[in-house]
Amino acid sequence: MTTDIGLPQTVAALPAVAARRYGDRPAQRHLAGGVWQDVSYAELREISTEIGLGLVALGVAPGDRVCVLADTRAEWVQVEFGIALAGAVTVPIYPSSSADECEWVLGDSGAVVVVCENAALQAKVESVRDRLPALREVVLIDGEENTLAELRARAGDRDDLERRATAVVPDEPALIIYTSGTTGRPKGCVLTHRNLTECCRVCDAMGVMDASDVVYLFLPLAHVFAQVISLGSAGMGAVVAYCSDGAAAIMPDLAALSPTLLPSVPRIFEKVYATVSGLVPAEMRAKAVAAGMAVRQLERAGQPVPDELAAGYAQADAALFTKVRAVFGGAIRQAISGAAPIAPEIIEFFHAAGVPVNEGYGLSESTAMGTLNTLDAVRIGSIGRAVPDCDVRIAEDGEILMRGPHIFAGYWQNPGATAETLVDGWLQTGDLGTIDDDGYVTITGRKKDIIITAGGKNLSPGNVENDLRLSPWISQAVMHGDRRPYPVALITLDAEAVGPWAQGEGLPADIPTLAAHPAVRALVQQVVDEVNAHYATVAQIKRFAILDHDLSIETGELTPTLKVKRRVVEQQYAGLLDGLYD
């Protein structure tokens, strides 16, 4: 089932539509045996068909849930399409999840099959399998038994699989994304085929990507942002190049692949900014950014760049901006930052450098869609304007509300939570914001994160935390102060920046020692003082503690997209926070 412009209305239809439109053009690019190899759209359809036939042979019925427990890789998407062709529902699990977390998602969704990347991830499932009565089969992408290759080799009735795929309707569940959550058990966001294929129409209408793009994807496919990029790329005919080996491979991959589109989370841009912005003195950097922003504004308006400005920009480009573009492979047409707020200063810097980072906004419950800045319509500091067919309004209490074809069907087997989140068709986002006369939306805070001091002052911690993270010395900052007399902060050090600095100062390079060293504390204090100068006294950080380690996904302090789990951190370091008020 497709629309009049040839875009699919179900994920099950997407492989066939893409194969028909793009044929032998590359759909996937992955590193194998040290060589980057391509999978064409025609090959992707065939592989997905074989996986679908294998799942049917395993007894997977229409509507059954099939979990995928793997890192971002080409096979992840191949399996997802195979699940859709069989009429089943994909349920992602983050590979960083504990065995207990795996048990919750597998058990709550009632999954009958789980596809694991390797034996290490399979072991998590096996350790809790006796408590998962619905789970019948475990398939390994990389393994020696019960492998994905064996699944693909199973014979099956292709006509029957085609009937299954054709029988899928837009409003049936296609994907259940379990929210990471800061408290309580994760809830399963039920995203329909209509929700997911809406991203193809949005990408088409807004020019997010096209068939000429090379999209570099390192984001976890268990996160809805990566899902939208993946499916949108298939709809538009772009090639998706997958991260070859975890976070450490991102920069080498970018150099090797020269992608044109980079979807990312703010932390990646923050770290690159902290590294490259120090290549020139602060005063020179400020002039370079001012010149670059002026040039970009004239270019967008189609106006000529005056000779004097062009000469100033050429100097900045040679001294700094060419190095910035080189970090990303030299061919970036657009980068999209999502999943968490990003400081306007960072966006300005990259726009000036010719690496336009455009901020967007969405939730799992809105299929990662909502608002987006674009190459032709950008207002730095905002999260952009509403995407096509999305209505955005501000409630009386300042909350951002959304509705449209991208809004989820509800939480899996949780009608109470669904009723609280979907009110008269409007998604209650939990974020606070404003909309200006041109339709640009700006987030001012999050309802649950609002700090109300003992003096009754309402503070939004996000801006202060973002400003602190602009420093190359600081990795994470968590502001605290709810029902307290003043704000304080927990700060972690960026080992990549502080380590070399410490060696230059003749200090030990290990983070636990540096976290307690007076010289490092003075370094951080200077950053805090500079940030405080931009805020009213009531919002200033009065005291801080430096942790002897960074926050991490493994400890449960960060989500898989590197957002801080504020409540978890506050509970884990409650004693340390109490000490800041002694």
Short mmCIF file of all heavy atoms in Angstrom, two decimals, residues 550-579:
data_model
loop_
_atom_site.label_atom_id
_atom_site.label_comp_id
_atom_site.label_asym_id
_atom_site.label_seq_id
_atom_site.Cartn_x
_atom_site.Cartn_y
_atom_site.Cartn_z
N ASP A 550 33.51 9.44 35.51
CA ASP A 550 32.48 10.02 34.66
C ASP A 550 31.18 9.23 34.83
O ASP A 550 31.19 8.08 35.26
CB ASP A 550 32.92 10.01 33.20
CG ASP A 550 32.25 11.11 32.37
OD1 ASP A 550 31.29 11.75 32.88
OD2 ASP A 550 32.68 11.34 31.23
N LEU A 551 30.07 9.87 34.49
CA LEU A 551 28.80 9.15 34.45
C LEU A 551 28.81 8.22 33.24
O LEU A 551 29.47 8.50 32.24
CB LEU A 551 27.64 10.14 34.34
CG LEU A 551 27.57 11.24 35.41
CD1 LEU A 551 26.33 12.11 35.20
CD2 LEU A 551 27.57 10.64 36.81
N SER A 552 28.07 7.13 33.31
CA SER A 552 28.12 6.16 32.21
C SER A 552 26.79 5.45 32.04
O SER A 552 25.93 5.44 32.93
CB SER A 552 29.22 5.12 32.45
OG SER A 552 28.86 4.26 33.52
N ILE A 553 26.65 4.85 30.87
CA ILE A 553 25.46 4.03 30.60
C ILE A 553 25.49 2.79 31.49
O ILE A 553 24.46 2.36 32.03
CB ILE A 553 25.45 3.62 29.11
CG1 ILE A 553 25.34 4.85 28.22
CG2 ILE A 553 24.29 2.65 28.83
CD1 ILE A 553 25.53 4.55 26.74
N GLU A 554 26.68 2.21 31.65
CA GLU A 554 26.82 0.94 32.38
C GLU A 554 26.38 1.06 33.84
O GLU A 554 25.84 0.11 34.41
CB GLU A 554 28.27 0.45 32.31
CG GLU A 554 28.71 -0.01 30.93
CD GLU A 554 28.90 1.14 29.94
OE1 GLU A 554 29.11 2.30 30.38
OE2 GLU A 554 28.80 0.88 28.73
N THR A 555 26.61 2.24 34.43
CA THR A 555 26.22 2.43 35.83
C THR A 555 24.76 2.87 35.97
O THR A 555 24.28 3.08 37.08
CB THR A 555 27.11 3.48 36.49
OG1 THR A 555 27.04 4.71 35.75
CG2 THR A 555 28.55 3.01 36.55
N GLY A 556 24.08 3.04 34.83
CA GLY A 556 22.68 3.45 34.86
C GLY A 556 22.47 4.93 35.05
O GLY A 556 21.34 5.38 35.24
N GLU A 557 23.56 5.72 34.97
CA GLU A 557 23.46 7.16 35.19
C GLU A 557 23.15 7.94 33.91
O GLU A 557 22.69 9.08 33.97
CB GLU A 557 24.76 7.68 35.80
CG GLU A 557 25.07 7.07 37.16
CD GLU A 557 26.55 7.10 37.50
OE1 GLU A 557 27.38 7.24 36.57
OE2 GLU A 557 26.89 6.96 38.68
N LEU A 558 23.42 7.30 32.76
CA LEU A 558 23.12 7.90 31.46
C LEU A 558 22.19 6.98 30.68
O LEU A 558 22.27 5.76 30.81
CB LEU A 558 24.40 8.13 30.64
CG LEU A 558 25.47 9.05 31.20
CD1 LEU A 558 26.64 9.12 30.22
CD2 LEU A 558 24.93 10.45 31.46
N THR A 559 21.34 7.58 29.86
CA THR A 559 20.56 6.78 28.92
C THR A 559 21.46 6.36 27.77
O THR A 559 22.56 6.89 27.61
CB THR A 559 19.38 7.58 28.36
OG1 THR A 559 19.88 8.58 27.45
CG2 THR A 559 18.59 8.26 29.47
N PRO A 560 21.03 5.43 26.92
CA PRO A 560 21.86 5.03 25.79
C PRO A 560 22.17 6.15 24.80
O PRO A 560 23.07 6.02 23.98
CB PRO A 560 21.04 3.92 25.13
CG PRO A 560 20.28 3.32 26.27
CD PRO A 560 19.89 4.50 27.12
N THR A 561 21.40 7.26 24.86
CA THR A 561 21.73 8.42 24.02
C THR A 561 22.46 9.49 24.82
O THR A 561 22.48 10.66 24.44
CB THR A 561 20.46 9.01 23.38
OG1 THR A 561 19.50 9.28 24.40
CG2 THR A 561 19.88 8.05 22.36
N LEU A 562 23.05 9.09 25.94
CA LEU A 562 23.96 9.92 26.75
C LEU A 562 23.26 11.06 27.46
O LEU A 562 23.91 12.05 27.82
CB LEU A 562 25.11 10.46 25.88
CG LEU A 562 25.90 9.40 25.08
CD1 LEU A 562 27.03 10.05 24.31
CD2 LEU A 562 26.42 8.31 26.02
N LYS A 563 21.97 10.96 27.69
CA LYS A 563 21.28 11.92 28.53
C LYS A 563 21.41 11.50 29.99
O LYS A 563 21.35 10.30 30.30
CB LYS A 563 19.79 12.02 28.15
CG LYS A 563 19.53 12.71 26.83
CD LYS A 563 18.06 12.94 26.61
CE LYS A 563 17.30 11.65 26.38
NZ LYS A 563 15.89 11.87 25.97
N VAL A 564 21.56 12.48 30.86
CA VAL A 564 21.70 12.19 32.29
C VAL A 564 20.36 11.75 32.88
O VAL A 564 19.33 12.39 32.65
CB VAL A 564 22.22 13.44 33.05
CG1 VAL A 564 22.20 13.19 34.55
CG2 VAL A 564 23.62 13.79 32.59
N LYS A 565 20.37 10.66 33.62
CA LYS A 565 19.19 10.25 34.38
C LYS A 565 19.24 11.01 35.71
O LYS A 565 19.83 10.54 36.69
CB LYS A 565 19.19 8.74 34.59
CG LYS A 565 19.00 7.94 33.32
CD LYS A 565 18.88 6.45 33.65
CE LYS A 565 18.64 5.62 32.42
NZ LYS A 565 18.50 4.17 32.73
N ARG A 566 18.63 12.15 35.71
CA ARG A 566 18.76 13.09 36.83
C ARG A 566 18.38 12.45 38.16
O ARG A 566 19.09 12.58 39.16
CB ARG A 566 17.89 14.32 36.55
CG ARG A 566 18.08 15.46 37.56
CD ARG A 566 17.22 16.65 37.16
NE ARG A 566 17.54 17.09 35.82
CZ ARG A 566 18.56 17.89 35.53
NH1 ARG A 566 19.36 18.32 36.50
NH2 ARG A 566 18.78 18.26 34.29
N ARG A 567 17.26 11.78 38.20
CA ARG A 567 16.79 11.20 39.47
C ARG A 567 17.73 10.11 39.96
O ARG A 567 17.98 9.98 41.16
CB ARG A 567 15.37 10.65 39.32
CG ARG A 567 14.34 11.67 38.87
CD ARG A 567 14.17 12.79 39.87
NE ARG A 567 13.24 13.81 39.39
CZ ARG A 567 13.52 15.08 39.25
NH1 ARG A 567 14.73 15.53 39.53
NH2 ARG A 567 12.62 15.94 38.80
N VAL A 568 18.24 9.32 39.04
CA VAL A 568 19.18 8.25 39.41
C VAL A 568 20.43 8.86 40.02
O VAL A 568 20.94 8.41 41.05
CB VAL A 568 19.54 7.39 38.19
CG1 VAL A 568 20.67 6.41 38.53
CG2 VAL A 568 18.31 6.63 37.70
N VAL A 569 20.97 9.90 39.37
CA VAL A 569 22.18 10.55 39.86
C VAL A 569 21.94 11.17 41.23
O VAL A 569 22.76 11.04 42.15
CB VAL A 569 22.65 11.62 38.85
CG1 VAL A 569 23.77 12.47 39.45
CG2 VAL A 569 23.14 10.95 37.57
N GLU A 570 20.80 11.83 41.40
CA GLU A 570 20.51 12.46 42.68
C GLU A 570 20.38 11.44 43.81
O GLU A 570 20.82 11.69 44.93
CB GLU A 570 19.24 13.31 42.56
CG GLU A 570 19.45 14.57 41.73
CD GLU A 570 18.20 15.40 41.59
OE1 GLU A 570 17.09 14.84 41.66
OE2 GLU A 570 18.31 16.62 41.39
N GLN A 571 19.79 10.29 43.49
CA GLN A 571 19.67 9.25 44.50
C GLN A 571 21.03 8.62 44.81
O GLN A 571 21.36 8.38 45.97
CB GLN A 571 18.69 8.18 44.02
CG GLN A 571 17.24 8.65 43.95
CD GLN A 571 16.33 7.65 43.28
OE1 GLN A 571 16.74 6.54 42.93
NE2 GLN A 571 15.07 8.04 43.06
N GLN A 572 21.80 8.38 43.76
CA GLN A 572 23.08 7.70 43.95
C GLN A 572 24.07 8.54 44.74
O GLN A 572 24.91 8.01 45.48
CB GLN A 572 23.66 7.33 42.58
CG GLN A 572 24.86 6.41 42.65
CD GLN A 572 25.07 5.66 41.35
OE1 GLN A 572 24.13 5.38 40.64
NE2 GLN A 572 26.32 5.36 41.05
N TYR A 573 24.00 9.87 44.58
CA TYR A 573 24.96 10.76 45.24
C TYR A 573 24.28 11.66 46.27
O TYR A 573 24.69 12.79 46.49
CB TYR A 573 25.69 11.59 44.19
CG TYR A 573 26.43 10.74 43.18
CD1 TYR A 573 25.90 10.51 41.92
CD2 TYR A 573 27.64 10.14 43.51
CE1 TYR A 573 26.55 9.71 41.00
CE2 TYR A 573 28.30 9.33 42.60
CZ TYR A 573 27.75 9.12 41.35
OH TYR A 573 28.41 8.32 40.46
N ALA A 574 23.22 11.13 46.87
CA ALA A 574 22.45 11.91 47.84
C ALA A 574 23.33 12.41 48.99
O ALA A 574 23.22 13.57 49.42
CB ALA A 574 21.28 11.08 48.38
N GLY A 575 24.20 11.55 49.50
CA GLY A 575 25.07 11.96 50.60
C GLY A 575 26.02 13.07 50.21
O GLY A 575 26.24 14.01 50.98
N LEU A 576 26.57 12.96 49.02
CA LEU A 576 27.49 13.99 48.54
C LEU A 576 26.76 15.32 48.35
O LEU A 576 27.28 16.39 48.70
CB LEU A 576 28.11 13.52 47.22
CG LEU A 576 29.24 14.39 46.63
CD1 LEU A 576 30.37 14.56 47.62
CD2 LEU A 576 29.74 13.75 45.34
N LEU A 577 25.54 15.26 47.82
CA LEU A 577 24.75 16.48 47.64
C LEU A 577 24.39 17.10 48.98
O LEU A 577 24.46 18.33 49.15
CB LEU A 577 23.49 16.17 46.83
CG LEU A 577 23.71 15.84 45.34
CD1 LEU A 577 22.44 15.27 44.73
CD2 LEU A 577 24.15 17.09 44.59
N ASP A 578 24.02 16.26 49.94
CA ASP A 578 23.71 16.78 51.29
C ASP A 578 24.92 17.52 51.86
O ASP A 578 24.77 18.56 52.51
CB ASP A 578 23.32 15.63 52.22
CG ASP A 578 21.94 15.07 51.90
OD1 ASP A 578 21.16 15.75 51.21
OD2 ASP A 578 21.65 13.95 52.34
N GLY A 579 26.11 16.99 51.58
CA GLY A 579 27.31 17.60 52.11
C GLY A 579 27.57 18.99 51.55
O GLY A 579 28.23 19.81 52.21
#
